Amino acid sequence: MILVLRALGVGDLATAVPALRGLRAGLPGRELVLAAPAWLTPLAELTGAVDRVLPTTGPDRIGWTGPAPEVAVNLHGRGPQSHRALAAVRPGRVLAYRNPGAGHPDGPAWDDDEHEVRRWCRLLHAYGLPADPGDLALRRPAATGVPAGVTLLHPGGKIPAKRWPADRFAGLARELAARGHRVAVTGSPDERTLAERVARDAGLPPRAVLAGRTGLAEMAALVADARLVVSGDTGVAHLATGYGTASVVLFGPVPAAHWGPPPDRPRHRALGAIEPTPVNPDSTGSGGVGTHPTLDAIGIDEVVAAVADVERVSGAVAA
């Protein structure tokens, strides 16, 4: 049995898909258990590489009660907490980045300046296992009755500094609606107020607000069948990559070089930070407290132009 730790979020799981599939291919015939938050189970199933999810909320402790795993794999981080949590289940072997302080002196060295997808593929390569960084496609979810052909704007995100200003999203929504897009605003239940503000300021009807009305499986279905996705650097952007849905992703302060869509896929466009940029807690953008200046510098016209480019390449049309 293979135990894999990746107790993070949607984008984190989506970027680990090539590594998960590499483990499946390189260590065949073994059950693969993913230690991750239980709410990620629908997405884990869509990877086609995970047999079951072991509910785990962080790197501190893994609630493993079965026989010792044959192999434990740290796709969570560099340690030490995640290394020690895996060592505590007494696996036959641990695959992880080098961290002598956590009792793991072998493995490759961690590289801060590396794309998240390639980071975990490189880990597997160091142990003689296959992993293709381009293998990002997700299985299409079962039909759930969600609308198809919609342009999804996702103004939220866990980190305020990575949010494009709400008034820009509203202006973008107005412009895209005027160009014939059926615009919907998505988000988590906690982001419903933000989504309602964007829709209201854009002159969209209340039914355009889907935030808080979709579970993870429904969100995946929405993205899979969407005309276009515009979001910050958050999980929805990675779903768009996984489904080949045209997308424009707004980056800052974390650069696209670390978390962006593959640069050789023209139907996905990254705007904003290309290289790492510092976060100054005292700096704010014109769009509200916390917005990073890199994001604040992105204008609506720039996003509209990027939308036109990705639609021209992908052939996306209104449904």
Side-chain angles (χ1 to χ4, degrees), residues 9-15 39-40 43 138 154 156-158 162 216 219-220 223 229 231-243 249 259:
V10 171
D12 307 280
L13 178 51
T15 54
W39 63 270
L40 283 174
L43 182 57
L138 295 166
H154 193 90
K158 290 184 294 186
K162 294 169 69 175
L216 184 52
M219 190 70 231
V223 173
V229 173
S231 76
D233 172 22
T234 190
V236 168
H238 296 284
L239 293 179
T241 299
Y243 288 117
V249 190
W259 283 90

Side-chain angles (χ1 to χ4, degrees), residues 3-296:
L3 176 63
V4 181
L5 176 62
R6 185 74 168 165
L8 295 162
V10 171
D12 307 280
L13 178 51
T15 54
V17 166
L20 290 169
R21 291 192 180 137
L23 288 168
R24 172 69 79 192
L27 299 170
R30 297 164 174 84
E31 182 186 29
L32 193 151
V33 177
L34 177 66
W39 63 270
L40 283 174
T41 297
L43 182 57
E45 293 172 349
L46 295 174
T47 70
V50 175
D51 292 304
R52 62 185 174 96
V53 171
L54 175 67
T56 305
T57 57
D60 298 334
R61 181 179 178 275
I62 301 172
W64 182 255
T65 58
E70 180 183 351
V71 180
V73 187
N74 190 349
L75 299 185
H76 188 94
R78 70 174 77 188
Q81 289 178 315
S82 50
H83 283 47
R84 291 168 179 160
L86 284 171
V89 305
R90 301 189 180 280
R93 186 184 185 198
V94 174
L95 310 186
Y97 276 102
R98 184 182 310 135
N99 191 321
H104 191 75
D106 65 346
W110 182 272
D111 181 1
D112 282 323
D113 190 18
E114 185 170 29
H115 194 283
E116 189 72 4
V117 172
R118 293 189 175 276
R119 168 173 291 128
W120 304 113
C121 290
R122 182 169 66 87
L123 175 66
L124 265 62
H125 295 162
Y127 287 100
L129 296 170
D132 176 4
D135 189 12
L136 293 162
L138 295 166
R139 290 179 173 176
R140 296 182 70 82
T144 58
V146 298
V150 178
T151 290
L152 304 177
L153 304 188
H154 193 90
K158 290 184 294 186
I159 302 173
K162 294 169 69 175
R163 294 182 181 181
W164 200 43
D167 61 341
R168 308 271 178 88
F169 266 111
L172 176 65
R174 283 194 302 271
E175 180 64 27
L176 294 181
R179 293 176 179 231
H181 290 250
R182 280 196 299 135
V183 177
V185 188
T186 58
S188 68
D190 291 342
E191 294 165 348
R192 185 167 177 84
T193 299
L194 171 62
E196 289 174 337
R197 172 188 166 190
V198 169
R200 181 184 65 250
D201 292 351
L204 301 178
R207 66 177 180 276
V209 178
L210 300 181
R213 294 168 49 191
T214 57
L216 184 52
E218 290 79 16
M219 190 70 231
L222 268 173
V223 173
D225 293 328
R227 172 179 177 175
L228 172 78
V229 173
V230 181
S231 76
D233 172 22
T234 190
V236 168
H238 296 284
L239 293 179
T241 299
Y243 288 117
T245 300
S247 65
V248 177
V249 190
L250 313 177
F251 281 87
V254 178
H258 288 179
W259 283 90
D264 60 348
R265 300 186 186 186
R267 67 175 52 227
H268 308 296
R269 178 67 59 84
L271 300 179
I274 303 301
E275 300 297 332
T277 51
V279 178
N280 179 353
D282 295 325
S283 69
T284 61
S286 64
V289 174
T291 301
H292 190 269
T294 305
L295 276 170
D296 198 48

